[in-house]
Amino acid sequence: EIEDKMDVTQGKLVMGLDVKLKEYNSKFPVSIYNVMLGESATSKLFQNVREKASLAYTARSNYVRQKNNIYIRCGIEIQNYKKVVDIIKEQLLDMQKGNFTEEDLINAKKYMISGIQSVEEEQDSEITYYIGQELAGTFTTFEEYIKKIEQVSMEDVKNVANNIDINTIYFLRN
């Protein structure tokens, strides 16, 4: 745990998660896990930290495949630090236990597929996608990518959840 102080009015919480799955095809279920955890407005973090508990101005996660990490970021009132960390840990544990629905999985897949399709429609995004493929030494067409996302199961997501560890909790406060 790392704490920094600066003249801020809103605390910034960042949690770094290690993804222990290394094989290339694990990126598809990890991406779905990330959407369900915190990338979308229907995610566990958004719904439980921001909406239900009203403890965060923002609550999101993002998956950085090249580093095999997920980063959770929240803008919070400084005095809510412990409560927010506890709720985030509860969401991680819920994912490990498989406490999510088929509807959650379907919504995450729709979200991912919509994002993939929008990349195809933007020339700059498409070029960036293919450069990334080249640098990674892989080549997955958009159609293959969508098919792999569609194949992700509830068990795949639970497996991802059980292969994630918190490596860092960083808090910027006043």
Side-chain angles (χ1 to χ4, degrees):
E1 289 190 40
I2 300 165
E3 187 176 287
D4 275 339
K5 291 187 177 183
M6 189 182 288
D7 187 20
V8 295
T9 56
Q10 181 185 104
K12 310 289 186 210
L13 171 64
V14 179
M15 292 177 79
L17 309 177
D18 287 327
V19 180
K20 296 184 284 185
L21 303 170
K22 304 289 186 205
E23 60 278 353
Y24 176 75
N25 278 332
S26 68
K27 77 175 187 174
F28 303 104
V30 175
S31 295
I32 293 294
Y33 169 88
N34 179 61
V35 171
M36 292 169 72
L37 177 66
E39 189 173 320
S40 72
T42 60
S43 70
K44 287 187 161 290
L45 294 177
F46 189 88
Q47 290 300 312
N48 293 296
V49 178
R50 186 177 186 279
E51 295 297 304
K52 288 180 186 167
S54 299
L55 291 174
Y57 303 104
T58 60
R60 294 201 53 140
S61 68
N62 68 303
Y63 172 43
V64 180
R65 184 176 49 90
Q66 297 81 353
K67 299 276 187 194
N68 224 23
N69 293 111
I70 293 175
Y71 297 95
I72 297 171
R73 296 166 308 180
C74 298
I76 63 174
E77 291 192 26
I78 292 159
Q79 71 271 15
N80 292 333
Y81 170 76
K82 173 113 175 67
K83 289 181 205 171
V84 172
V85 169
D86 289 345
I87 292 173
I88 291 171
K89 287 180 178 180
E90 285 174 23
Q91 304 320 300
L92 296 171
L93 187 59
D94 264 3
M95 294 294 287
Q96 289 176 344
K97 292 177 181 176
N99 291 340
F100 49 87
T101 67
E102 187 72 36
E103 182 179 358
D104 295 331
L105 180 65
I106 290 167
N107 287 338
K109 288 178 182 183
K110 285 179 182 177
Y111 178 90
M112 284 291 301
I113 291 167
S114 174
I116 295 162
Q117 290 168 334
S118 71
V119 168
E120 285 183 288
E121 295 167 4
E122 296 287 330
Q123 189 176 25
D124 290 350
S125 298
E126 188 173 10
I127 290 168
T128 302
Y129 174 81
Y130 285 120
I131 289 172
Q133 294 280 305
E134 184 71 27
L135 292 173
T138 60
F139 185 75
T140 305
T141 66
F142 292 112
E143 294 79 19
E144 290 169 328
Y145 203 110
I146 289 170
K147 187 173 185 174
K148 297 229 186 235
I149 291 297
E150 288 172 339
Q151 292 171 348
V152 173
S153 69
M154 301 267 289
E155 197 56 41
D156 293 333
V157 176
K158 188 176 174 187
N159 180 52
V160 170
N162 284 292
N163 281 285
I164 298 237
D165 290 321
I166 298 171
N167 67 26
T168 305
I169 301 174
Y170 172 85
F171 188 52
L172 177 64
R173 59 169 299 136
N174 61 6

